[in-house]
PDB file of all heavy atoms in Angstrom:
ATOM      1  N   LEU Q 285      43.079  24.305  48.627  1.00 93.00           N
ATOM      2  CA  LEU Q 285      41.786  23.642  48.646  1.00 93.00           C
ATOM      3  C   LEU Q 285      41.961  22.155  48.385  1.00 93.00           C
ATOM      4  O   LEU Q 285      41.303  21.314  49.005  1.00 93.00           O
ATOM      5  CB  LEU Q 285      40.863  24.255  47.586  1.00 93.00           C
ATOM      6  CG  LEU Q 285      39.509  23.570  47.383  1.00 93.00           C
ATOM      7  CD1 LEU Q 285      38.660  23.678  48.650  1.00 93.00           C
ATOM      8  CD2 LEU Q 285      38.775  24.157  46.188  1.00 93.00           C
ATOM      9  N   ILE Q 316      46.128  22.738  44.658  1.00 95.00           N
ATOM     10  CA  ILE Q 316      45.290  23.768  44.043  1.00 95.00           C
ATOM     11  C   ILE Q 316      44.910  24.765  45.126  1.00 95.00           C
ATOM     12  O   ILE Q 316      44.066  24.478  45.984  1.00 95.00           O
ATOM     13  CB  ILE Q 316      44.017  23.160  43.413  1.00 95.00           C
ATOM     14  CG1 ILE Q 316      44.378  22.058  42.415  1.00 95.00           C
ATOM     15  CG2 ILE Q 316      43.199  24.257  42.724  1.00 95.00           C
ATOM     16  CD1 ILE Q 316      43.162  21.346  41.822  1.00 95.00           C
ATOM     17  N   PRO Q 317      45.539  25.937  45.142  1.00 94.00           N
ATOM     18  CA  PRO Q 317      45.170  26.956  46.144  1.00 94.00           C
ATOM     19  C   PRO Q 317      43.759  27.481  45.887  1.00 94.00           C
ATOM     20  O   PRO Q 317      43.251  27.446  44.765  1.00 94.00           O
ATOM     21  CB  PRO Q 317      46.226  28.059  45.920  1.00 94.00           C
ATOM     22  CG  PRO Q 317      47.340  27.397  45.187  1.00 94.00           C
ATOM     23  CD  PRO Q 317      46.689  26.350  44.332  1.00 94.00           C
ATOM     24  N   ARG Q 318      43.135  27.974  46.914  1.00 92.00           N
ATOM     25  CA  ARG Q 318      41.797  28.562  46.773  1.00 92.00           C
ATOM     26  C   ARG Q 318      41.859  29.784  45.848  1.00 92.00           C
ATOM     27  O   ARG Q 318      42.757  30.601  45.940  1.00 92.00           O
ATOM     28  CB  ARG Q 318      41.240  28.960  48.138  1.00 92.00           C
ATOM     29  CG  ARG Q 318      40.903  27.779  49.037  1.00 92.00           C
ATOM     30  CD  ARG Q 318      40.259  28.219  50.337  1.00 92.00           C
ATOM     31  NE  ARG Q 318      39.963  27.083  51.199  1.00 92.00           N
ATOM     32  CZ  ARG Q 318      38.851  26.353  51.124  1.00 92.00           C
ATOM     33  NH1 ARG Q 318      37.925  26.667  50.211  1.00 92.00           N
ATOM     34  NH2 ARG Q 318      38.660  25.340  51.940  1.00 92.00           N
ATOM     35  N   GLY Q 319      40.860  29.859  44.969  1.00 92.00           N
ATOM     36  CA  GLY Q 319      40.763  31.003  44.075  1.00 92.00           C
ATOM     37  C   GLY Q 319      41.774  31.026  42.958  1.00 92.00           C
ATOM     38  O   GLY Q 319      41.968  32.064  42.320  1.00 92.00           O
ATOM     39  N   ARG Q 320      42.435  29.886  42.699  1.00 94.00           N
ATOM     40  CA  ARG Q 320      43.464  29.823  41.663  1.00 94.00           C
ATOM     41  C   ARG Q 320      43.087  28.816  40.575  1.00 94.00           C
ATOM     42  O   ARG Q 320      42.267  27.934  40.783  1.00 94.00           O
ATOM     43  CB  ARG Q 320      44.811  29.423  42.263  1.00 94.00           C
ATOM     44  CG  ARG Q 320      45.354  30.414  43.276  1.00 94.00           C
ATOM     45  CD  ARG Q 320      45.894  31.654  42.601  1.00 94.00           C
ATOM     46  NE  ARG Q 320      46.563  32.547  43.539  1.00 94.00           N
ATOM     47  CZ  ARG Q 320      47.354  33.550  43.182  1.00 94.00           C
ATOM     48  NH1 ARG Q 320      47.561  33.781  41.898  1.00 94.00           N
ATOM     49  NH2 ARG Q 320      47.902  34.335  44.090  1.00 94.00           N
ATOM     50  N   THR Q 321      43.744  28.950  39.429  1.00 95.00           N
ATOM     51  CA  THR Q 321      43.576  27.999  38.325  1.00 95.00           C
ATOM     52  C   THR Q 321      44.871  27.247  38.129  1.00 95.00           C
ATOM     53  O   THR Q 321      45.918  27.848  37.828  1.00 95.00           O
ATOM     54  CB  THR Q 321      43.192  28.717  37.023  1.00 95.00           C
ATOM     55  OG1 THR Q 321      41.946  29.383  37.200  1.00 95.00           O
ATOM     56  CG2 THR Q 321      43.071  27.725  35.869  1.00 95.00           C
ATOM     57  N   VAL Q 322      44.816  25.946  38.329  1.00 96.00           N
ATOM     58  CA  VAL Q 322      45.959  25.070  38.090  1.00 96.00           C
ATOM     59  C   VAL Q 322      45.647  24.241  36.845  1.00 96.00           C
ATOM     60  O   VAL Q 322      44.597  23.612  36.762  1.00 96.00           O
ATOM     61  CB  VAL Q 322      46.218  24.156  39.302  1.00 96.00           C
ATOM     62  CG1 VAL Q 322      47.298  23.128  38.981  1.00 96.00           C
ATOM     63  CG2 VAL Q 322      46.618  24.997  40.517  1.00 96.00           C
ATOM     64  N   ARG Q 370      29.003  18.319  45.833  1.00 86.00           N
ATOM     65  CA  ARG Q 370      28.449  19.649  45.576  1.00 86.00           C
ATOM     66  C   ARG Q 370      29.563  20.685  45.495  1.00 86.00           C
ATOM     67  O   ARG Q 370      29.476  21.657  44.746  1.00 86.00           O
ATOM     68  CB  ARG Q 370      27.447  20.029  46.670  1.00 86.00           C
ATOM     69  CG  ARG Q 370      26.860  21.415  46.474  1.00 86.00           C
ATOM     70  CD  ARG Q 370      25.704  21.707  47.388  1.00 86.00           C
ATOM     71  NE  ARG Q 370      25.194  23.063  47.139  1.00 86.00           N
ATOM     72  CZ  ARG Q 370      24.087  23.548  47.672  1.00 86.00           C
ATOM     73  NH1 ARG Q 370      23.368  22.799  48.510  1.00 86.00           N
ATOM     74  NH2 ARG Q 370      23.691  24.773  47.401  1.00 86.00           N
ATOM     75  N   ARG Q 371      30.623  20.478  46.268  1.00 89.00           N
ATOM     76  CA  ARG Q 371      31.742  21.420  46.286  1.00 89.00           C
ATOM     77  C   ARG Q 371      32.636  21.280  45.057  1.00 89.00           C
ATOM     78  O   ARG Q 371      33.351  22.211  44.691  1.00 89.00           O
ATOM     79  CB  ARG Q 371      32.585  21.202  47.541  1.00 89.00           C
ATOM     80  CG  ARG Q 371      31.828  21.436  48.844  1.00 89.00           C
ATOM     81  CD  ARG Q 371      32.622  20.929  50.037  1.00 89.00           C
ATOM     82  NE  ARG Q 371      33.857  21.657  50.235  1.00 89.00           N
ATOM     83  CZ  ARG Q 371      34.797  21.292  51.101  1.00 89.00           C
ATOM     84  NH1 ARG Q 371      34.637  20.196  51.832  1.00 89.00           N
ATOM     85  NH2 ARG Q 371      35.889  22.007  51.244  1.00 89.00           N
ATOM     86  N   VAL Q 372      32.607  20.093  44.431  1.00 92.00           N
ATOM     87  CA  VAL Q 372      33.484  19.813  43.278  1.00 92.00           C
ATOM     88  C   VAL Q 372      32.613  19.373  42.110  1.00 92.00           C
ATOM     89  O   VAL Q 372      31.941  18.344  42.184  1.00 92.00           O
ATOM     90  CB  VAL Q 372      34.509  18.714  43.618  1.00 92.00           C
ATOM     91  CG1 VAL Q 372      35.423  18.467  42.436  1.00 92.00           C
ATOM     92  CG2 VAL Q 372      35.318  19.086  44.855  1.00 92.00           C
ATOM     93  N   GLN Q 373      32.610  20.139  41.037  1.00 92.00           N
ATOM     94  CA  GLN Q 373      31.773  19.840  39.881  1.00 92.00           C
ATOM     95  C   GLN Q 373      32.632  19.672  38.625  1.00 92.00           C
ATOM     96  O   GLN Q 373      33.618  20.397  38.443  1.00 92.00           O
ATOM     97  CB  GLN Q 373      30.752  20.954  39.655  1.00 92.00           C
ATOM     98  CG  GLN Q 373      29.666  21.012  40.720  1.00 92.00           C
ATOM     99  CD  GLN Q 373      28.685  19.852  40.605  1.00 92.00           C
ATOM    100  OE1 GLN Q 373      28.090  19.631  39.558  1.00 92.00           O
ATOM    101  NE2 GLN Q 373      28.522  19.114  41.690  1.00 92.00           N
ATOM    102  N   ALA Q 446      27.531  22.670  35.327  1.00 91.00           N
ATOM    103  CA  ALA Q 446      28.595  22.559  36.327  1.00 91.00           C
ATOM    104  C   ALA Q 446      28.616  23.737  37.289  1.00 91.00           C
ATOM    105  O   ALA Q 446      28.956  23.577  38.463  1.00 91.00           O
ATOM    106  CB  ALA Q 446      29.947  22.428  35.632  1.00 91.00           C
ATOM    107  N   ILE Q 447      28.273  24.927  36.812  1.00 88.00           N
ATOM    108  CA  ILE Q 447      28.341  26.104  37.681  1.00 88.00           C
ATOM    109  C   ILE Q 447      27.010  26.385  38.369  1.00 88.00           C
ATOM    110  O   ILE Q 447      26.898  27.366  39.121  1.00 88.00           O
ATOM    111  CB  ILE Q 447      28.817  27.348  36.902  1.00 88.00           C
ATOM    112  CG1 ILE Q 447      27.822  27.723  35.800  1.00 88.00           C
ATOM    113  CG2 ILE Q 447      30.208  27.117  36.328  1.00 88.00           C
ATOM    114  CD1 ILE Q 447      28.199  29.003  35.070  1.00 88.00           C
ATOM    115  N   ALA Q 448      26.001  25.528  38.134  1.00 92.00           N
ATOM    116  CA  ALA Q 448      24.670  25.775  38.702  1.00 92.00           C
ATOM    117  C   ALA Q 448      24.703  25.850  40.227  1.00 92.00           C
ATOM    118  O   ALA Q 448      23.996  26.655  40.831  1.00 92.00           O
ATOM    119  CB  ALA Q 448      23.698  24.689  38.243  1.00 92.00           C
ATOM    120  N   LEU Q 449      25.514  25.013  40.869  1.00 90.00           N
ATOM    121  CA  LEU Q 449      25.553  24.951  42.327  1.00 90.00           C
ATOM    122  C   LEU Q 449      26.602  25.889  42.928  1.00 90.00           C
ATOM    123  O   LEU Q 449      26.821  25.869  44.139  1.00 90.00           O
ATOM    124  CB  LEU Q 449      25.846  23.516  42.773  1.00 90.00           C
ATOM    125  CG  LEU Q 449      24.728  22.497  42.527  1.00 90.00           C
ATOM    126  CD1 LEU Q 449      25.242  21.077  42.729  1.00 90.00           C
ATOM    127  CD2 LEU Q 449      23.550  22.775  43.437  1.00 90.00           C
ATOM    128  N   GLU Q 450      27.281  26.680  42.080  1.00 86.00           N
ATOM    129  CA  GLU Q 450      28.335  27.572  42.543  1.00 86.00           C
ATOM    130  C   GLU Q 450      29.336  26.812  43.427  1.00 86.00           C
ATOM    131  O   GLU Q 450      29.542  27.135  44.603  1.00 86.00           O
ATOM    132  CB  GLU Q 450      27.756  28.779  43.277  1.00 86.00           C
ATOM    133  CG  GLU Q 450      26.859  29.638  42.393  1.00 86.00           C
ATOM    134  CD  GLU Q 450      26.375  30.890  43.092  1.00 86.00           C
ATOM    135  OE1 GLU Q 450      26.603  31.013  44.313  1.00 86.00           O
ATOM    136  OE2 GLU Q 450      25.781  31.738  42.423  1.00 86.00           O
ATOM    137  N   PRO Q 451      30.007  25.799  42.854  1.00 91.00           N
ATOM    138  CA  PRO Q 451      30.922  24.967  43.645  1.00 91.00           C
ATOM    139  C   PRO Q 451      32.218  25.703  43.989  1.00 91.00           C
ATOM    140  O   PRO Q 451      32.495  26.785  43.469  1.00 91.00           O
ATOM    141  CB  PRO Q 451      31.208  23.791  42.695  1.00 91.00           C
ATOM    142  CG  PRO Q 451      31.067  24.403  41.332  1.00 91.00           C
ATOM    143  CD  PRO Q 451      29.955  25.398  41.442  1.00 91.00           C
ATOM    144  N   GLU Q 452      33.022  25.082  44.860  1.00 91.00           N
ATOM    145  CA  GLU Q 452      34.330  25.642  45.209  1.00 91.00           C
ATOM    146  C   GLU Q 452      35.376  25.307  44.160  1.00 91.00           C
ATOM    147  O   GLU Q 452      36.283  26.099  43.898  1.00 91.00           O
ATOM    148  CB  GLU Q 452      34.784  25.106  46.570  1.00 91.00           C
ATOM    149  CG  GLU Q 452      33.931  25.545  47.747  1.00 91.00           C
ATOM    150  CD  GLU Q 452      34.419  24.917  49.037  1.00 91.00           C
ATOM    151  OE1 GLU Q 452      35.503  25.333  49.516  1.00 91.00           O
ATOM    152  OE2 GLU Q 452      33.742  24.016  49.564  1.00 91.00           O
ATOM    153  N   LEU Q 453      35.290  24.097  43.613  1.00 94.00           N
ATOM    154  CA  LEU Q 453      36.263  23.636  42.618  1.00 94.00           C
ATOM    155  C   LEU Q 453      35.512  23.108  41.399  1.00 94.00           C
ATOM    156  O   LEU Q 453      34.566  22.330  41.534  1.00 94.00           O
ATOM    157  CB  LEU Q 453      37.146  22.517  43.196  1.00 94.00           C
ATOM    158  CG  LEU Q 453      38.098  21.822  42.199  1.00 94.00           C
ATOM    159  CD1 LEU Q 453      39.202  22.773  41.756  1.00 94.00           C
ATOM    160  CD2 LEU Q 453      38.702  20.555  42.817  1.00 94.00           C
ATOM    161  N   VAL Q 454      35.939  23.555  40.227  1.00 95.00           N
ATOM    162  CA  VAL Q 454      35.413  23.017  38.975  1.00 95.00           C
ATOM    163  C   VAL Q 454      36.564  22.345  38.237  1.00 95.00           C
ATOM    164  O   VAL Q 454      37.618  22.963  38.026  1.00 95.00           O
ATOM    165  CB  VAL Q 454      34.786  24.109  38.092  1.00 95.00           C
ATOM    166  CG1 VAL Q 454      34.280  23.511  36.776  1.00 95.00           C
ATOM    167  CG2 VAL Q 454      33.634  24.792  38.820  1.00 95.00           C
ATOM    168  N   LEU Q 456      37.715  21.091  34.857  1.00 93.00           N
ATOM    169  CA  LEU Q 456      37.376  21.329  33.454  1.00 93.00           C
ATOM    170  C   LEU Q 456      38.306  20.499  32.572  1.00 93.00           C
ATOM    171  O   LEU Q 456      39.478  20.819  32.412  1.00 93.00           O
ATOM    172  CB  LEU Q 456      37.508  22.817  33.122  1.00 93.00           C
ATOM    173  CG  LEU Q 456      36.614  23.736  33.964  1.00 93.00           C
ATOM    174  CD1 LEU Q 456      37.437  24.820  34.636  1.00 93.00           C
ATOM    175  CD2 LEU Q 456      35.513  24.343  33.131  1.00 93.00           C
ATOM    176  N   LEU Q 474      34.004  34.314  31.364  1.00 82.00           N
ATOM    177  CA  LEU Q 474      33.037  33.922  32.393  1.00 82.00           C
ATOM    178  C   LEU Q 474      33.727  33.184  33.530  1.00 82.00           C
ATOM    179  O   LEU Q 474      33.473  33.460  34.714  1.00 82.00           O
ATOM    180  CB  LEU Q 474      31.951  33.039  31.772  1.00 82.00           C
ATOM    181  CG  LEU Q 474      31.003  32.347  32.755  1.00 82.00           C
ATOM    182  CD1 LEU Q 474      30.171  33.371  33.506  1.00 82.00           C
ATOM    183  CD2 LEU Q 474      30.117  31.341  32.028  1.00 82.00           C
ATOM    184  N   LEU Q 475      34.620  32.247  33.201  1.00 87.00           N
ATOM    185  CA  LEU Q 475      35.317  31.483  34.237  1.00 87.00           C
ATOM    186  C   LEU Q 475      36.153  32.390  35.132  1.00 87.00           C
ATOM    187  O   LEU Q 475      36.164  32.242  36.359  1.00 87.00           O
ATOM    188  CB  LEU Q 475      36.206  30.415  33.589  1.00 87.00           C
ATOM    189  CG  LEU Q 475      35.481  29.267  32.862  1.00 87.00           C
ATOM    190  CD1 LEU Q 475      36.486  28.376  32.140  1.00 87.00           C
ATOM    191  CD2 LEU Q 475      34.639  28.447  33.832  1.00 87.00           C
ATOM    192  N   VAL Q 476      36.840  33.346  34.517  1.00 90.00           N
ATOM    193  CA  VAL Q 476      37.651  34.283  35.297  1.00 90.00           C
ATOM    194  C   VAL Q 476      36.752  35.153  36.181  1.00 90.00           C
ATOM    195  O   VAL Q 476      37.063  35.383  37.358  1.00 90.00           O
ATOM    196  CB  VAL Q 476      38.513  35.151  34.360  1.00 90.00           C
ATOM    197  CG1 VAL Q 476      39.203  36.271  35.141  1.00 90.00           C
ATOM    198  CG2 VAL Q 476      39.556  34.292  33.648  1.00 90.00           C
ATOM    199  N   ASP Q 477      35.635  35.615  35.618  1.00 86.00           N
ATOM    200  CA  ASP Q 477      34.706  36.449  36.388  1.00 86.00           C
ATOM    201  C   ASP Q 477      34.136  35.681  37.580  1.00 86.00           C
ATOM    202  O   ASP Q 477      34.076  36.203  38.701  1.00 86.00           O
ATOM    203  CB  ASP Q 477      33.577  36.923  35.472  1.00 86.00           C
ATOM    204  CG  ASP Q 477      32.541  37.751  36.221  1.00 86.00           C
ATOM    205  OD1 ASP Q 477      32.902  38.831  36.728  1.00 86.00           O
ATOM    206  OD2 ASP Q 477      31.377  37.308  36.310  1.00 86.00           O
ATOM    207  N   LEU Q 478      33.723  34.438  37.358  1.00 81.00           N
ATOM    208  CA  LEU Q 478      33.189  33.615  38.446  1.00 81.00           C
ATOM    209  C   LEU Q 478      34.245  33.358  39.511  1.00 81.00           C
ATOM    210  O   LEU Q 478      33.961  33.366  40.711  1.00 81.00           O
ATOM    211  CB  LEU Q 478      32.668  32.285  37.897  1.00 81.00           C
ATOM    212  CG  LEU Q 478      31.388  32.338  37.055  1.00 81.00           C
ATOM    213  CD1 LEU Q 478      31.120  30.992  36.410  1.00 81.00           C
ATOM    214  CD2 LEU Q 478      30.204  32.755  37.917  1.00 81.00           C
ATOM    215  N   GLN Q 479      35.466  33.139  39.068  1.00 88.00           N
ATOM    216  CA  GLN Q 479      36.546  32.908  40.022  1.00 88.00           C
ATOM    217  C   GLN Q 479      36.765  34.134  40.910  1.00 88.00           C
ATOM    218  O   GLN Q 479      36.910  34.014  42.122  1.00 88.00           O
ATOM    219  CB  GLN Q 479      37.835  32.568  39.266  1.00 88.00           C
ATOM    220  CG  GLN Q 479      39.006  32.224  40.168  1.00 88.00           C
ATOM    221  CD  GLN Q 479      40.194  31.719  39.370  1.00 88.00           C
ATOM    222  OE1 GLN Q 479      40.828  32.489  38.661  1.00 88.00           O
ATOM    223  NE2 GLN Q 479      40.492  30.439  39.492  1.00 88.00           N
ATOM    224  N   GLN Q 480      36.733  35.306  40.307  1.00 87.00           N
ATOM    225  CA  GLN Q 480      36.961  36.532  41.068  1.00 87.00           C
ATOM    226  C   GLN Q 480      35.800  36.844  42.009  1.00 87.00           C
ATOM    227  O   GLN Q 480      36.006  37.322  43.121  1.00 87.00           O
ATOM    228  CB  GLN Q 480      37.196  37.689  40.094  1.00 87.00           C
ATOM    229  CG  GLN Q 480      38.506  37.561  39.317  1.00 87.00           C
ATOM    230  CD  GLN Q 480      38.646  38.603  38.216  1.00 87.00           C
ATOM    231  OE1 GLN Q 480      37.678  39.293  37.865  1.00 87.00           O
ATOM    232  NE2 GLN Q 480      39.842  38.730  37.663  1.00 87.00           N
ATOM    233  N   ARG Q 481      34.563  36.576  41.536  1.00 81.00           N
ATOM    234  CA  ARG Q 481      33.391  36.906  42.354  1.00 81.00           C
ATOM    235  C   ARG Q 481      33.118  35.884  43.440  1.00 81.00           C
ATOM    236  O   ARG Q 481      32.696  36.221  44.544  1.00 81.00           O
ATOM    237  CB  ARG Q 481      32.147  37.034  41.463  1.00 81.00           C
ATOM    238  CG  ARG Q 481      32.119  38.296  40.610  1.00 81.00           C
ATOM    239  CD  ARG Q 481      30.739  38.539  40.015  1.00 81.00           C
ATOM    240  NE  ARG Q 481      30.370  37.534  39.030  1.00 81.00           N
ATOM    241  CZ  ARG Q 481      29.406  36.638  39.199  1.00 81.00           C
ATOM    242  NH1 ARG Q 481      28.722  36.588  40.331  1.00 81.00           N
ATOM    243  NH2 ARG Q 481      29.120  35.770  38.244  1.00 81.00           N
ATOM    244  N   LEU Q 482      33.352  34.595  43.137  1.00 81.00           N
ATOM    245  CA  LEU Q 482      32.959  33.521  44.044  1.00 81.00           C
ATOM    246  C   LEU Q 482      34.142  32.821  44.704  1.00 81.00           C
ATOM    247  O   LEU Q 482      33.940  31.924  45.522  1.00 81.00           O
ATOM    248  CB  LEU Q 482      32.115  32.488  43.291  1.00 81.00           C
ATOM    249  CG  LEU Q 482      30.864  33.019  42.589  1.00 81.00           C
ATOM    250  CD1 LEU Q 482      30.192  31.897  41.791  1.00 81.00           C
ATOM    251  CD2 LEU Q 482      29.903  33.621  43.592  1.00 81.00           C
ATOM    252  N   GLY Q 483      35.361  33.196  44.317  1.00 87.00           N
ATOM    253  CA  GLY Q 483      36.525  32.538  44.890  1.00 87.00           C
ATOM    254  C   GLY Q 483      36.713  31.119  44.415  1.00 87.00           C
ATOM    255  O   GLY Q 483      37.297  30.282  45.117  1.00 87.00           O
ATOM    256  N   LEU Q 484      36.221  30.809  43.221  1.00 90.00           N
ATOM    257  CA  LEU Q 484      36.321  29.461  42.685  1.00 90.00           C
ATOM    258  C   LEU Q 484      37.766  29.057  42.419  1.00 90.00           C
ATOM    259  O   LEU Q 484      38.606  29.891  42.064  1.00 90.00           O
ATOM    260  CB  LEU Q 484      35.535  29.349  41.381  1.00 90.00           C
ATOM    261  CG  LEU Q 484      34.015  29.290  41.456  1.00 90.00           C
ATOM    262  CD1 LEU Q 484      33.421  29.367  40.054  1.00 90.00           C
ATOM    263  CD2 LEU Q 484      33.560  28.010  42.141  1.00 90.00           C
ATOM    264  N   SER Q 485      38.012  27.776  42.546  1.00 94.00           N
ATOM    265  CA  SER Q 485      39.283  27.182  42.115  1.00 94.00           C
ATOM    266  C   SER Q 485      38.995  26.302  40.904  1.00 94.00           C
ATOM    267  O   SER Q 485      37.924  25.702  40.799  1.00 94.00           O
ATOM    268  CB  SER Q 485      39.903  26.340  43.223  1.00 94.00           C
ATOM    269  OG  SER Q 485      40.171  27.120  44.372  1.00 94.00           O
ATOM    270  N   TYR Q 486      39.972  26.226  39.989  1.00 96.00           N
ATOM    271  CA  TYR Q 486      39.808  25.402  38.791  1.00 96.00           C
ATOM    272  C   TYR Q 486      40.991  24.462  38.621  1.00 96.00           C
ATOM    273  O   TYR Q 486      42.141  24.861  38.820  1.00 96.00           O
ATOM    274  CB  TYR Q 486      39.731  26.263  37.523  1.00 96.00           C
ATOM    275  CG  TYR Q 486      38.571  27.220  37.453  1.00 96.00           C
ATOM    276  CD1 TYR Q 486      38.779  28.559  37.127  1.00 96.00           C
ATOM    277  CD2 TYR Q 486      37.267  26.800  37.689  1.00 96.00           C
ATOM    278  CE1 TYR Q 486      37.726  29.451  37.039  1.00 96.00           C
ATOM    279  CE2 TYR Q 486      36.206  27.683  37.613  1.00 96.00           C
ATOM    280  CZ  TYR Q 486      36.436  29.006  37.298  1.00 96.00           C
ATOM    281  OH  TYR Q 486      35.392  29.888  37.212  1.00 96.00           O
ATOM    282  N   LEU Q 487      40.671  23.207  38.252  1.00 97.00           N
ATOM    283  CA  LEU Q 487      41.672  22.329  37.656  1.00 97.00           C
ATOM    284  C   LEU Q 487      41.343  22.310  36.175  1.00 97.00           C
ATOM    285  O   LEU Q 487      40.315  21.786  35.762  1.00 97.00           O
ATOM    286  CB  LEU Q 487      41.608  20.917  38.244  1.00 97.00           C
ATOM    287  CG  LEU Q 487      42.593  19.924  37.606  1.00 97.00           C
ATOM    288  CD1 LEU Q 487      44.036  20.370  37.811  1.00 97.00           C
ATOM    289  CD2 LEU Q 487      42.386  18.515  38.153  1.00 97.00           C
ATOM    290  N   HIS Q 501      47.253  30.115  36.689  1.00 94.00           N
ATOM    291  CA  HIS Q 501      48.216  30.629  37.654  1.00 94.00           C
ATOM    292  C   HIS Q 501      49.415  29.690  37.771  1.00 94.00           C
ATOM    293  O   HIS Q 501      50.518  30.121  38.118  1.00 94.00           O
ATOM    294  CB  HIS Q 501      47.565  30.784  39.027  1.00 94.00           C
ATOM    295  CG  HIS Q 501      46.462  31.801  39.061  1.00 94.00           C
ATOM    296  ND1 HIS Q 501      45.126  31.473  38.944  1.00 94.00           N
ATOM    297  CD2 HIS Q 501      46.498  33.156  39.169  1.00 94.00           C
ATOM    298  CE1 HIS Q 501      44.388  32.569  38.999  1.00 94.00           C
ATOM    299  NE2 HIS Q 501      45.185  33.601  39.144  1.00 94.00           N
TER     300      HIS Q 501
END
Side-chain angles (χ1 to χ4, degrees):
L285 174 64
I316 305 176
R318 291 184 181 274
R320 297 285 187 166
T321 298
V322 173
R370 179 170 180 172
R371 298 168 65 189
V372 182
Q373 290 288 305
I447 63 176
L449 291 168
E450 298 185 352
E452 294 177 72
L453 173 69
V454 179
L456 301 126
L474 170 65
L475 292 174
V476 171
D477 178 63
L478 289 171
Q479 184 172 70
Q480 292 172 348
R481 287 194 293 112
L482 304 175
L484 285 173
S485 300
Y486 298 131
L487 177 61
H501 296 97

